[in-house]
Amino acid sequence: TDPVMKARHFSWIRNGFRVQLTDDNEALNDIKRLVDETKESQVLSAYKLLSPVEKADLWRYVRIYLDGGIYSDIDIGARPETTDFFLKQPFEKLNLIGIIENSQYDKLWGFKNYLGHFNWIMGIAPLYSRLPQLRQSFFFVRKGHPNLLELIKDVAETTLAWDASGHTSLGEKKKRLSRSQLKEMEKSGQLTLEMTGPGIWTDHMLTPLKPSDIGIDGGSLLLSTPEGHNLIAYASMGSWKTSEHKNDLIRIVKNAVLIYIIPPAVLLCIYLRRKQRQANVNGQTQRSTARSSLPFVLEKEKAR
């Protein structure tokens, strides 16, 4: 067992939480239990088609829908502050506790961060599927949350559509993407984010929330990125990431150079070239003026 993950796991027990670890067989039993309770048989069919990482995504939604509680990836640990935070929460009022994992790109000092949005759109930011995006590796959701069941059904429908189309479509309800776009998303790992991960999770659990839903009285307690990092110890092992996704920094730097370095450099070169050209023209004009006045000067000397 990885020592970091082992330490994260025991940090929850040490801070007073009751922890349940689930293996593949138990996860499959949870999927079957959901089918028995909801009669949504397509969930089991879809589950069998998913990769191990995608199965883990779907399973967490199913388990929390069935039993409620806190979900945490194994590379996330608890602190004393984690215990203090959860002991203070009125769980009878709450449907959701979540962390916005890219709030710094969304808002700055309470105002919309237009530069952050621009950087995200242009790829000068980590590979987030949504802005804002709800962290899917750690959350609390109450048992039987209706949005969670709709999310589970959406994952199943998207997965079955993806399989039936021969990996060329995510279904009619989804944004239409070209085959080359889907292939690139699959290669980079972004397809997993979209089909089972933070993208589809955010669409169902964050996007539908109205301002009146946010806060303890509204039933959904949302924490900013800094608040989230103060609450939990996050190792970010990223075992689900493809090799290309792990090279995210290279992509960000490359896009930053393309957007912020090359265009100004090209404009500066154009400006300097024009300035040099103008200086050459002015120099030629001055020499021409001097030559044209020379005969007049000679004539004036002769007259004397």
Side-chain angles (χ1 to χ4, degrees), residues 281-295:
V281 170
N282 292 340
Q284 290 173 358
T285 303
Q286 288 173 359
R287 286 195 296 273
S288 176
T289 303
R291 284 196 297 269
S292 65
S293 64
L294 187 58

Side-chain angles (χ1 to χ4, degrees), residues 4 50 64 119 125 151 156 173 181 204 206 233 239 267 284 287:
V4 174
L50 296 172
I64 297 299
N119 286 340
L151 164 61
K173 295 181 181 178
Q181 285 176 306
H204 284 273
L206 177 63
S239 59
L267 291 174
Q284 290 173 358
R287 286 195 296 273

Side-chain angles (χ1 to χ4, degrees), residues 93-96 107 205-222:
K93 292 183 177 181
L94 289 170
N95 300 316
L96 167 72
K107 290 186 177 180
M205 302 305 295
L206 177 63
T207 304
L209 296 179
K210 302 185 292 292
S212 59
D213 296 327
I214 298 173
I216 291 177
D217 291 336
S220 299
L221 186 56
L222 302 177

Side-chain angles (χ1 to χ4, degrees), residues 108-147:
L108 198 59
W109 299 305
F111 298 97
K112 185 173 180 178
N113 184 354
Y114 289 99
L115 180 60
H117 277 255
F118 175 78
N119 286 340
W120 175 68
I121 291 169
M122 302 307 296
I124 312 173
L127 198 58
Y128 298 116
S129 294
R130 304 289 185 273
L131 183 62
Q133 180 169 291
L134 189 63
R135 180 174 290 284
Q136 177 245 17
S137 56
F138 174 84
F139 57 83
F140 162 84
V141 176
R142 71 169 173 83
K143 176 181 178 180
H145 195 304
N147 288 19

